[in-house]
Amino acid sequence: METAVPDIQHRLMAANLPALPQVLVQLINHCESDEAGMAALAELLSRDAALATKVLRVAASPVYRRGPIAPNLEQALTAIGIDMVRVLLLTESVHQTFNGLAATRSIDLRPFWAHAIATAISARTIAVNLGYAQLEEAYLAGLLHDIGRLALVTAAPEEYAANFHAKDDEALCATEERTLEITHPEAGALIIEGLALDSFLADSIRYHHEPLERLQTAHPLVRLTALADAVASHAGSPEGIPPEVARMAGFSQEEARQHARTLAEQIAHLAASLGIEVPKETPPTLAARRTGPAAPSIFGSDRLNEKVRDLILVSKTAEELRKFNDVNGCTRAIVKSSVVLFGFSDAIVLCGTAGGAVLTPAVLDDGRMRLSGLSLPLDEGNIAGMAALHGMAVFHIPPRVTSVVEDQLLRFFKTDALVAIRLSPTADAPVVLLGAMSAGQARLLRSRQHLLGNFGQQSGAILGKTAQHMEGDGVPGAVLASEFQLAARRVAHEVNNPLAIIKNYLALLERKANGRQAIGDDLSVVAEEIDRVAQIVNDFAQEHQTPPDDSADVNGALAHAARMFTDSGSLHPEVRIAHHASREPVRAAIDSRILNQILVNLVKNANEAMVNGGRIDLRNAGLVPRDDGLWIAVSVVDTGPGIPATLLPRLFSPIVSAKDGGNRGLGLSIVHDLVTKAGGKISCRSSSSGTVFDILLPPAPFHATPESGERG
């Protein structure tokens, strides 16, 4: 049967790959243990290619991802978190229990599993032989090398079931190309490429059937995966592993024979530990022995079956959501749960105010602050507005024409389909979940309105109760936890600044030492920054606080900040910094360390805003009459691209910015607090030609008048 390429690709991306029930049970039991550890969980997960792929796919979502993704199951599990891992495994368990492995009910997965494990073990051994250091990556490549076969039989069971247990060779690839216009190596690579891993894992799957001589100059992971597949395929045959394959894999003939024996023993031992009876027949025999029609649903009705399955999924997910006692935490958990339950590639929550006319993004984390300026009208011109008004899940699936703001969201999420689900019980002060996915996945999900509706109602109700709890008796505990979390983030943010300077100065010291240059002044700067780290931590702990200075030399502070960033090499190559002193030296009534902390934050922000180069000026205008008295006027000026007008009203709020790092976006709120605690004022002016932060500091007592003859 012919199948169009775009259609099979959409079906592949939406495929829910079946896992071995035995592995799933052990994983769930491990998660329920009080002593659950990610390392042991990753080891269990490495026994099943389908579940490993699911975990990598969830961890690849921007909802969970922080920085580049390594092809490492333990790191992926850590990114997801144990609570959401439970939800993921429960989701898979319920799907299998009620769907009977869906379209693959009549397929025996055991030969596939045995070959995947044999290839994974072989890949790790070959990696050792060839000196490839990333053993976990090699094992994962072996485990997933045939994931395309599992994806094809799940996405296109009628077209592919007869070929699932066929001999894995060029003839199979030719059959796949003829019937589906895509081979299983291409299908597997397509799935893994969508994860954007920092690895050649997708290529190792794509080329595992290439002739070995063609792979001699390929990346080592690609080469060793193809070798591992060849070793595993021949290990159980009477002829054994071919001499040429053994040689290329780093085995002597005796070592190759020993590896084949060990491989059989390891698979048998693993199968016994999982309660799997590995069939004696060869895969082609199993293919010929197709079982009959799938067993009927245990509930006797597909519709009832589906409703019971969805009810369990939503109720178990709700249990996880009830663990949160703050709105932001609960909102993030709803987003993360939706990625696991529905396979969204990304998701955000939109909120409206009572009587308001627009929906705006809420609880935005790193990499998505540009969405804060978007607003979706509360009308039927977009799917979020429609969901908010009518309470049903609304889809955008091509060829539906998008509004401009929907088109922006599609580009941001790098996808072609969206779904909006209302979380609030009514359209008053609406809350909407917006999920991103492929068009093929959206078409499948559209048939599950019951599940989407239940999820929206239950998660929305929990979110509403959480908000009421924070407004009522639960406020003190929630506020205390929130304040402590914010304080910890502030400490992490502020400690990172001097640590970055220290790191740069250490590199400078090394260069100077090699050149036999004087390093005394640089050492004093390092010592000052180390003291600042200690002071920040001590202030957080409120222990052994150092008495503050009476005043700070403002001209000296500006000169010190400019010199520190220049000498340490902390500025972008094309950024220049200069300081401009007042004619008369002035001292401000602020601790010198605090003033330095303020300047470092502002200069660091300006530098990060000018990735293409620019100029930073630190100016001291001296004593000026402002408002109700005399102030010392300090300004930090940059020639960067400016701050979006939508952010200016809440510029000094402790939000999370679009910059990299978990504690970014706090710098300006910290600066604001430090200035105001010192009795000063801070404001900002910004346009496309640059940004100016104006700071007014109270003068030290002996500079109360311009006529004073005191000098700093």
Side-chain angles (χ1 to χ4, degrees), residues 63-107:
V63 171
Y64 292 94
R65 184 174 65 214
R66 293 295 180 268
I69 309 168
N72 184 294
L73 289 174
E74 186 174 351
Q75 291 181 24
L77 288 167
T78 301
I80 297 171
I82 191 66
D83 288 340
M84 285 302 153
V85 170
R86 288 192 186 98
V87 172
L88 187 152
L89 294 176
L90 175 76
T91 301
E92 181 59 27
S93 175
V94 171
H95 274 299
Q96 289 197 22
T97 300
F98 290 94
N99 287 359
L101 293 183
T104 62
R105 297 176 204 177
S106 61
I107 301 296

Side-chain angles (χ1 to χ4, degrees), residues 6-74:
D7 179 54
I8 192 65
Q9 290 187 356
H10 286 144
R11 289 156 71 184
L12 282 170
M13 299 310 293
N16 185 40
L17 305 184
L20 274 172
Q22 294 90 339
V23 179
L24 189 58
V25 168
Q26 290 204 7
L27 283 164
I28 292 172
N29 289 341
H30 184 81
C31 278
E32 295 303 321
S33 169
D34 293 334
E35 300 178 356
M38 290 302 187
L41 198 59
E43 195 279 327
L44 279 172
L45 197 64
S46 69
R47 302 174 183 180
D48 191 281
L51 283 171
T53 304
K54 281 178 170 50
V55 167
L56 289 173
R57 179 181 285 176
V58 171
S61 167
V63 171
Y64 292 94
R65 184 174 65 214
R66 293 295 180 268
I69 309 168
N72 184 294
L73 289 174
E74 186 174 351

Side-chain angles (χ1 to χ4, degrees), residues 326-613:
D326 67 288
V327 170
N328 286 355
C330 187
T331 301
R332 288 189 172 93
I334 289 171
V335 169
K336 291 181 175 181
S337 297
S338 71
V339 170
V340 171
L341 275 178
F342 308 125
F344 293 158
S345 59
D346 203 347
I348 58 170
V349 167
L350 305 166
C351 294
T353 56
V358 296
L359 295 162
T360 56
V363 195
L364 295 174
D365 291 330
D366 296 336
R368 46 187 73 206
M369 280 306 294
R370 63 180 135 150
L371 293 178
S372 62
L374 288 180
S375 60
L376 284 79
L378 193 58
D379 57 33
E380 296 189 353
N382 65 89
I383 62 170
M386 291 174 66
L389 291 173
H390 301 296
M392 60 181 180
V394 183
F395 287 82
H396 162 72
I397 303 175
R400 177 185 176 271
V401 178
T402 60
S403 63
V404 171
V405 68
E406 288 172 321
D407 192 48
Q408 285 184 277
L409 288 166
L410 288 168
R411 291 176 185 276
F412 177 84
F413 291 133
K414 299 177 182 176
T415 189
D416 55 357
L418 298 168
V419 61
I421 308 166
R422 192 175 78 187
L423 304 182
S424 53
T426 67
D428 296 331
V431 181
V432 174
L433 174 70
L434 194 69
M437 76 214 83
S438 68
Q441 187 178 359
R443 292 186 184 98
L444 293 175
L445 190 59
R446 189 163 53 183
S447 65
R448 303 182 68 191
Q449 288 276 356
H450 190 266
L451 173 61
L452 295 170
N454 278 350
F455 177 80
Q457 291 170 11
Q458 291 211 32
S459 57
I462 294 168
L463 186 63
K465 288 181 181 178
T466 303
Q468 292 175 2
H469 179 68
M470 291 184 68
E471 293 172 0
D473 295 336
V475 167
V479 169
L480 181 63
S482 179
E483 288 182 350
F484 183 85
Q485 183 184 40
L486 180 59
R489 287 176 59 211
R490 285 173 178 249
V491 170
H493 179 282
E494 291 304 278
V495 164
N496 279 335
N497 287 343
L499 287 180
I501 292 170
I502 291 169
K503 179 180 178 181
N504 289 336
Y505 260 101
L506 289 175
L508 174 66
L509 290 172
E510 183 179 13
R511 292 195 299 271
K512 285 190 172 183
N514 291 337
R516 300 184 180 277
Q517 296 174 264
I519 60 176
D521 291 342
D522 300 316
L523 284 174
S524 66
V525 175
V526 172
E528 289 174 10
E529 294 305 300
I530 291 173
D531 287 342
R532 186 151 73 93
V533 172
Q535 186 60 40
I536 291 168
V537 176
N538 286 338
D539 288 347
F540 175 66
Q542 297 184 342
E543 297 177 357
H544 313 300
Q545 292 194 31
T546 305
D549 296 341
D550 293 329
S551 61
D553 172 14
V554 178
N555 285 342
L558 268 59
H560 174 74
R563 185 177 67 252
M564 183 168 57
F565 275 89
T566 301
D567 292 349
S568 66
S570 298
L571 297 173
H572 287 304
E574 300 302 320
V575 172
R576 299 291 179 265
I577 188 170
H579 69 282
H580 309 272
S582 61
R583 292 184 179 181
E584 294 291 329
V586 288
R587 297 190 74 88
I590 186 172
D591 188 300
S592 60
R593 292 164 303 192
I594 298 299
L595 180 55
N596 185 55
Q597 192 174 348
I598 291 168
L599 293 172
V600 165
N601 269 298
L602 293 177
V603 173
K604 186 168 177 286
N605 278 0
N607 178 55
E608 290 173 350
M610 297 188 292
V611 293
N612 297 319

